[in-house]
Amino acid sequence: MSIFIYAGSMQFVAVDLLATGAGFLQVILMTLMVNIRHVFYGISMLGKFRNLGAKKPYMIFSLTDETFSLLCTAEPPKNVDRNWFFFFIALFNQLYWIVGSVVGGLLGSSFSFNTQGIDFAMTALFVVIFVNQWREAKSHVPALVGLVCSLVCLLLFGADNFILPALIGMVVLLSVFRGRLDRPEEGAAT
Amino acid sequence: MNGAIRALLVIAFVALVTFFTRLLPFVLFPEGKETPPYVKYLGKVLPFAIIAMLMVYCLKGTSLLEWPYGLPELIAVAAVVVLHLWKKNTLLSIGVGTVLYMLLVQFVFIT
């Protein structure tokens, strides 16, 4: 699953779907619900993924939350080809994921070290990227829109259902603010 | 249907639909054609909003109404922010933040 699906939360859901014997239609709808957020990642990467040539299909396939977030702020060092840099971020991300899945599968039961709280690494990653973006951004409005929309939708729709309403809310609000935010001098910064 | 084949089909469906959600924008707005300015604008501002959302997503399970009132999360996130503003070292911020959080939930704010 880590090779072909490669979508963390969906793989957990898939285990559930396998175990409960869900119908194929349910599998398809569930996957759409859980992963529809990727559409918005793709929209954000339209500019960055231009001229990737043969690497593009893999880059699209491997556009997970984590890869997306790294690609948001990562800038290649000088003398490094930009496209290969992005490609290796995506590839290594998946390799770590596969290695992690295999090790977890093999050693999962014999592991005695208390890992409670280790999932905070993911939170910390997004916090770090948020801080980076906050420092680089010409306007803090998009970040604040995202934060407010997510928090409001979390309260309104609950932890399991807030992602899609939050994304829609963001698009609506960002469209409202477009007159203010979409100025030519701020363009081309993708 | 044979159990193994059924499982493979489920995985195949999940993989296909997942790839479809990632592929859709690139099919709708191919490189050859000019992307509408509105979509370009969204592509420019959405990353900031989405990272904020992912941050909230990670913390969605935190309960503010019962012990420990989200304190471990608050302390650890604050530590990551301060450390990152100060040292600007991604791995250090994530590493220290994670270890701090693990210590907090395992030894300080035991539930």
Side-chain angles (χ1 to χ4, degrees):
Chain A
M1 286 207 283
S2 292
I3 295 172
F4 295 112
I5 301 179
Y6 189 38
S9 45
M10 196 55 223
Q11 286 175 227
F12 284 105
V13 177
V15 172
D16 245 17
L17 292 171
L18 285 174
T20 55
F24 291 127
L25 187 65
Q26 195 191 342
V27 170
I28 291 170
L29 290 178
M30 195 71 183
T31 313
L32 267 179
M33 295 269 289
V34 175
N35 282 338
I36 198 74
R37 66 184 189 285
H38 290 121
V39 171
F40 297 84
Y41 299 172
I43 292 175
S44 308
M45 286 296 148
L46 284 170
K48 231 170 202 167
F49 284 7
R50 258 167 205 280
N51 308 315
L52 277 173
K55 299 180 204 74
K56 192 164 176 174
Y58 178 73
M59 293 300 289
I60 296 173
F61 162 76
S62 62
L63 192 58
T64 58
D65 301 314
E66 294 83 354
T67 303
F68 165 78
S69 58
L70 292 178
L71 291 176
C72 273
T73 50
E75 272 306 319
K78 277 174 196 162
N79 312 321
V80 174
D81 181 271
R82 190 181 150 82
N83 292 345
W84 282 110
F85 177 75
F86 291 148
F87 177 74
F88 278 114
I89 287 182
L91 183 65
F92 281 137
N93 256 358
Q94 185 170 20
L95 291 183
Y96 296 145
W97 182 250
I98 293 170
V99 170
S101 306
V102 171
V103 172
L106 293 175
L107 301 180
S109 49
S110 60
F111 215 47
S112 58
F113 163 63
N114 188 351
T115 55
Q116 191 199 347
I118 203 162
D119 49 341
F120 188 80
M122 177 116 151
T123 316
L125 169 70
F126 294 135
V127 172
V128 162
I129 290 165
F130 185 80
V131 171
N132 283 342
Q133 286 185 334
W134 187 270
R135 277 203 314 239
E136 288 165 15
K138 292 178 183 102
S139 161
H140 296 318
V141 173
L144 290 174
V145 163
L147 199 57
V148 171
C149 266
S150 310
L151 288 173
V152 169
C153 290
L154 178 62
L155 288 175
L156 287 178
F157 299 96
D160 295 327
N161 300 309
F162 83 98
I163 290 282
L164 190 58
L167 281 167
I168 293 170
M170 279 175 214
V171 171
V172 170
L173 275 179
L174 289 171
S175 306
V176 171
F177 289 127
R178 188 179 168 201
R180 262 189 63 193
L181 294 171
D182 196 14
R183 298 206 186 101
E185 67 265 23
E186 285 182 288
T190 340
Chain B
M1 202 184 306
N2 181 311
I5 293 176
R6 205 191 151 278
L8 280 178
L9 276 173
V10 166
I11 292 175
F13 272 120
V14 174
L16 278 175
V17 177
T18 301
F19 185 59
F20 168 77
T21 62
R22 288 173 182 161
L23 184 66
L24 189 61
F26 298 92
V27 172
L28 290 177
F29 309 109
E31 276 188 34
K33 281 195 209 147
E34 182 66 14
T35 309
Y38 172 64
V39 176
K40 268 191 184 165
Y41 161 71
L42 282 182
K44 207 174 67 181
V45 288
L46 269 179
F48 297 96
I50 291 175
I51 292 292
M53 180 194 77
L54 288 171
M55 212 166 60
V56 173
Y57 180 81
C58 281
L59 296 166
K60 66 176 182 174
T62 311
S63 172
L64 301 175
L65 299 175
E66 50 196 81
W67 171 259
Y69 310 106
L71 278 174
E73 287 78 10
L74 187 70
I75 296 169
V77 168
V80 171
V81 171
V82 171
L83 193 62
H84 197 66
L85 285 174
W86 178 35
K87 290 285 184 191
K88 300 184 172 67
N89 181 327
T90 302
L91 287 180
L92 184 76
S93 309
I94 295 174
V96 171
T98 306
V99 171
L100 175 66
Y101 182 76
M102 289 174 76
L103 293 174
L104 287 172
V105 293
Q106 287 181 24
F107 300 107
V108 184
F109 301 100
I110 299 163
T111 45

